[in-house]
Amino acid sequence: MPNLLFLSQNQFFAEDLVSQLNLYLPDFNIFREDDNSTFFDLILLDELSDKVSNYSSLPVPIFLLGKNGVEYENIDAEIIMKPLILTSLLDCLKSGIHMFDNSEDGYLRF
């Protein structure tokens, strides 16, 4: 079971997205906070581009839900622009796990 860390400052959006992720990705364990003791297989950040650097040294795929109309430069994450298409987000998360599991050095490369 992959562990997904999902961080967001928008409580309403986060609760809604987590409920949808739980429905469509029942084999994922979704965490809403980093307890510094759990190993995460994926990291999903909602408009928190300043947090990417906190996790960029980890050998895990990082996805950033970006705000439409904002330029993101020098971000070490795969950017998924809002408004979201749920199936596209699910595909990205599933492929992130698949690509990471099958990479030679444990690092995801896009």
Side-chain angles (χ1 to χ4, degrees), residues 24-25 28 42 89-99:
Y24 292 105
L25 300 172
F28 278 55
L42 291 167
L89 175 62
L90 296 173
D91 289 343
C92 285
L93 295 175
K94 289 176 188 176
S95 67
I97 287 295
H98 176 70
M99 291 174 70

Side-chain angles (χ1 to χ4, degrees), residues 10 25 28 36 43 55 57 63 66 69-70 72 77 89 92 105 109:
N10 183 335
L25 300 172
F28 278 55
N36 293 319
I43 297 173
Y55 299 101
S57 64
F63 297 94
V70 174
Y72 296 95
L89 175 62
C92 285
D105 58 1
R109 307 226 192 290

Side-chain angles (χ1 to χ4, degrees), residues 9-51:
Q9 293 180 338
N10 183 335
Q11 186 72 20
F12 178 74
F13 172 76
E15 288 174 0
D16 184 49
L17 185 57
V18 166
S19 69
Q20 292 179 53
L21 293 175
N22 282 328
L23 180 64
Y24 292 105
L25 300 172
D27 55 331
F28 278 55
N29 295 317
I30 301 172
F31 295 84
R32 294 286 318 282
E33 57 186 52
D34 187 356
D35 60 8
N36 293 319
S37 66
T38 304
F39 176 79
F40 298 108
D41 300 294
L42 291 167
I43 297 173
L44 179 62
L45 304 171
D46 176 30
E47 297 181 16
L48 297 171
S49 58
D50 57 321
K51 299 262 187 206

Side-chain angles (χ1 to χ4, degrees), residues 52-74:
V52 171
S53 62
N54 296 353
Y55 299 101
S56 61
S57 64
L58 299 176
V60 298
I62 301 171
F63 297 94
L64 174 67
L65 301 180
K67 192 172 187 177
N68 199 7
V70 174
E71 292 282 328
Y72 296 95
E73 296 181 14
N74 301 323

